[in-house]
Amino acid sequence: MQTVFDGKSLITAEIIAGSLRRGKLEHHGEEFETARAELALILHATQQQIEQQKYPAEIVRRLLSLLSALRAKVHPDVWQALIPVAQNHPILKYFLEDPLTNWSFTKPRGYSGDAQLLDYIYCDPHVAESVANASEIGKALYSHTQNVPSCVAARERRDLLTRYVDETAAKNGPETEVLAIAAGHLREANRSIALAEGRLKRWVALDQDPQSVGLIARDFQGTAVEAVDGSVRTVLTRGHKLGKFDLIYASGLYDYLQHNVAVKLTKTCLQMLKPNGTFLFANYAEGTPDAGYRETFMDWVLLLRSEVDMWNIVNASVDRNSVDAKVFFGENRNVLYAVIEKRG
């Protein structure tokens, strides 16, 4: 169980890329050379646009489109080998002026997809000063990158989580208990009417990053939110000590979990549900159009899943006679959701 989120083995692009590699590059020698030549042309044309001082948002929009097309047509092993080629090109410095791209690539917290990165994606007030201090090029790049399909999908996901919490509270009353696994900064709680009106017994926010846990504890002091320093391993080994919940969700975690770990976590979460409780997990979908840029210039690699992949996790985790389950796309079809409701 390589991916355990134990606070020490933090997720890196290398770990994810290692799990994606299916074969040896020498099996794709000719395809790789052809693809590398095409990538070189893309990067050179982008460099020319930069030198010509074309509008930054248009430069990054075009680059996203070209990288997406290249990624879609080459073998996954070939694409993995192209990523460092792109990252070692001089134009990287230009795109790192974008505060979103910069935070993702440089990983100040030591791992990919941290809560601060999500704040940039959410356009959250907590990063407003950082964005304001970016260069004019950086601001112009961010005006586009913050609105690529995966970022729009992340904001939709945040709002969907808020809705699930509020609907659960409306159904179950003031004894409602919620658990967020890999909670980040718990930004969905800022929009929760149930939390604001004191209609939750507790909302446990579990995260492996001490900085995130500290921020949640500070921001939600005096509310039903309980910040807990913990990981997937915490849930797998001590889940019963966290109690039972009406709603458990993992909104960004499964993007990093291989199938066997995802199944084990799903089984554990279902055991932690009260009768008629709900477990929700989300995953970025295959075909996300900005994946090429994200994996190269943002150095952020995710395990993208299909509807079949999501159902495979569900079906390996549950007795379908004891639950009601559904898998569906979010509004812009870049995030998939699995919702499992435990029958009473």
Side-chain angles (χ1 to χ4, degrees):
M1 202 166 71
Q2 180 185 21
T3 309
V4 291
F5 266 68
D6 58 6
K8 300 182 178 65
S9 57
L10 292 165
I11 298 303
T12 64
E14 291 76 21
I15 289 175
I16 300 297
S19 70
L20 292 172
R21 190 171 294 281
R22 297 172 176 84
K24 295 182 178 179
L25 185 61
E26 51 260 35
H27 297 159
H28 312 281
E30 186 175 340
E31 183 186 1
F32 173 68
E33 292 304 326
T34 301
R36 184 165 64 176
E38 184 173 343
L39 177 62
L41 288 173
I42 292 170
L43 299 176
H44 179 67
T46 304
Q47 188 169 26
Q48 287 184 315
Q49 289 185 316
I50 293 169
E51 290 168 355
Q52 294 164 3
Q53 298 184 336
K54 301 280 188 182
Y55 185 58
E58 181 57 30
I59 293 175
V60 73
R61 184 202 63 77
R62 179 179 177 276
L63 179 61
L64 258 82
S65 176
L66 293 171
L67 289 176
S68 175
L70 180 59
R71 182 186 184 276
K73 74 179 182 180
V74 301
H75 191 279
D77 294 343
V78 172
W79 176 253
Q80 288 299 318
L82 291 176
I83 289 175
V85 176
Q87 291 174 344
N88 287 316
H89 196 278
I91 64 171
L92 172 66
K93 184 178 179 182
Y94 177 85
F95 294 104
L96 291 183
E97 292 194 46
D98 166 28
L100 172 57
T101 301
N102 186 291
W103 189 276
S104 181
F105 189 88
T106 58
K107 298 175 175 51
R109 294 196 185 179
Y111 64 101
S112 294
D114 64 68
Q116 181 85 351
L117 179 65
L118 285 176
D119 280 353
Y120 283 110
I121 290 172
Y122 293 158
C123 310
D124 192 86
H126 290 80
V127 298
E129 184 178 353
S130 171
V131 172
N133 289 335
S135 66
E136 291 308 308
I137 288 173
K139 290 190 188 78
L141 290 170
Y142 181 61
S143 72
H144 185 82
T145 58
Q146 69 178 332
N147 287 314
V148 299
S150 65
C151 291
V152 173
R155 296 193 288 269
E156 290 175 0
R157 183 182 65 192
R158 174 201 59 197
D159 295 344
L160 181 141
L161 296 174
T162 303
R163 190 170 78 245
Y164 263 84
V165 171
D166 286 355
E167 288 175 355
T168 302
K171 183 175 73 173
N172 294 290
E175 292 299 302
T176 298
E177 298 176 90
V178 177
L179 170 62
I181 303 174
H185 290 160
L186 203 74
R187 296 300 185 205
E188 58 271 19
N190 294 327
R191 294 163 176 249
S192 169
I193 296 171
L195 181 67
E197 294 181 351
R199 292 189 284 109
L200 295 170
K201 181 179 179 180
R202 61 181 185 137
W203 189 341
V204 177
L206 181 137
D207 201 274
Q208 65 167 7
D209 188 328
Q211 285 183 259
S212 294
V213 174
L215 187 143
I216 292 171
R218 183 196 72 197
D219 285 359
F220 295 101
Q221 187 175 8
T223 73
V225 173
E226 302 173 13
V228 176
D229 190 353
S231 63
V232 168
R233 177 172 286 172
T234 304
V235 177
L236 294 178
T237 59
R238 297 191 292 110
H240 63 284
K241 295 186 178 179
L242 293 170
K244 296 277 188 177
F245 298 90
D246 300 285
L247 171 66
I248 301 174
Y249 65 87
S251 61
L253 178 59
Y254 279 62
D255 294 311
Y256 304 95
L257 299 183
Q258 295 177 42
H259 175 82
N260 62 323
V261 187
V263 169
K264 191 166 186 177
L265 179 61
T266 302
K267 287 180 176 179
T268 304
C269 288
L270 290 168
Q271 292 167 3
M272 296 166 63
L273 287 178
K274 299 177 187 177
N276 300 309
T278 300
F279 176 56
L280 177 154
F281 66 89
N283 210 114
Y284 272 111
E286 284 182 349
T288 305
D290 44 272
Y293 180 84
R294 188 183 66 238
E295 292 171 358
T296 52
F297 292 95
M298 294 179 74
D299 193 37
W300 187 14
V301 181
L302 303 171
L303 293 173
L304 305 177
R305 287 191 161 97
S306 66
E307 286 181 276
V308 171
D309 295 330
M310 298 289 276
W311 275 118
N312 285 342
I313 294 172
V314 173
N315 290 331
S317 305
V318 301
D319 172 3
R320 289 285 295 278
N321 295 315
S322 64
V323 303
D324 295 309
K326 60 182 177 180
V327 171
F328 59 94
F329 280 98
E331 191 175 333
N332 83 342
R333 300 189 66 79
N334 283 281
V335 170
L336 278 160
Y337 299 90
V339 177
I340 306 171
E341 296 180 358
K342 190 174 185 177
R343 293 177 189 163

